[in-house]
Amino acid sequence: MEFWKSFTEKHPKLSKWVYQIFYFFVFSMGVTIFQYLVFTFMPHILGIGLAGTEFMWPRKNMNILGVKFTWSLLGYDVLRDASGAVMIGGGLGYFISYETGSFLAQCINFPLQRNITFKSKGNPVYQVIWYFLAWVVISLICNGLNNLWMPIAAVYVPPAIYNILVTFITGGVSMIIFFFVFKIIFPEGEKK
């Protein structure tokens, strides 16, 4: 603790950034684990009926690097095994699970980031609205980009590497964007 106190006194601006990045990362990883659990178990609870219901919008057939797939901004294709039977993990069931997990994670993340990481005293109604809008926009951007590269990576990259790439790219990109969005919507200091 003496080291941190000394560091804070010598480098107040840098220490504030280190503090914010540390807590931002810890809370973001915590809600990522929560999301992962929702993404993993909720599709099984919703069942095979929703997993077999295709939900993709808008649908655009594509062929990139010899891989044919359907791109969408929202939703997922139905997953099928080699025999053509529907598998849990795609379709409307996965979309509902993904959006539910992501939304609930943001409900947990908002007060932690606002009150602890950025120690903001700004107008909470204003901040919730901007946080929600940022989450929607960042989610759409990430979904659109992911639905371009993930089908190709699934063909050319081994599954273990593919899962690491998905987690790192999706989580990493959105975390970096969110950090700077939070710096804007969570002003520090007393309410004006």
Side-chain angles (χ1 to χ4, degrees), residues 15-190:
S15 66
K16 182 173 82 172
W17 274 83
V18 170
Y19 171 91
Q20 289 177 340
I21 290 170
F22 173 78
Y23 279 100
F24 174 79
F25 182 78
V26 168
F27 295 145
S28 295
M29 287 297 103
V31 297
T32 298
I33 292 167
F34 172 79
Q35 283 178 263
Y36 175 78
L37 294 172
V38 174
F39 301 164
T40 301
F41 297 109
M42 191 171 179
H44 294 279
I45 294 167
L46 295 176
I48 201 79
L50 287 176
T53 303
E54 184 178 281
F55 177 74
M56 298 178 81
W57 180 87
R59 296 179 51 82
K60 174 128 177 84
N61 293 327
M62 303 190 86
N63 186 345
I64 299 176
L65 299 174
V67 178
K68 293 180 182 182
F69 62 95
T70 303
W71 177 86
S72 70
L73 194 57
L74 294 174
Y76 301 94
D77 205 358
V78 174
L79 293 180
R80 299 184 184 278
D81 64 15
S83 69
V86 173
M87 295 174 17
I88 298 286
L92 184 57
Y94 189 76
F95 177 74
I96 291 170
S97 301
Y98 181 86
E99 293 305 324
T100 301
S102 183
F103 179 77
L104 292 175
Q106 300 320 309
C107 291
I108 296 166
N109 201 33
F110 176 83
L112 295 173
Q113 300 294 4
R114 179 185 185 274
N115 299 327
I116 297 172
T117 304
F118 295 96
K119 298 179 181 173
S120 179
K121 304 289 188 228
N123 182 333
V125 173
Y126 166 85
Q127 291 173 333
V128 164
I129 291 168
W130 279 108
Y131 187 98
F132 179 77
L133 291 173
W135 170 67
V136 169
V137 170
I138 292 168
S139 295
L140 290 173
I141 290 168
C142 286
N143 286 345
L145 293 174
N146 284 341
N147 287 342
L148 276 176
W149 72 267
M150 286 170 46
I152 298 162
V155 171
Y156 291 111
V157 178
I161 305 286
Y162 171 82
N163 287 334
I164 291 170
L165 283 173
V166 170
T167 303
F168 180 75
I169 292 172
T170 304
V173 168
S174 63
M175 274 178 58
I176 291 167
I177 296 168
F178 260 122
F179 182 80
F180 291 101
V181 167
F182 291 167
K183 290 288 283 178
I184 295 167
I185 67 172
F186 294 143
E188 297 168 55
E190 295 301 314

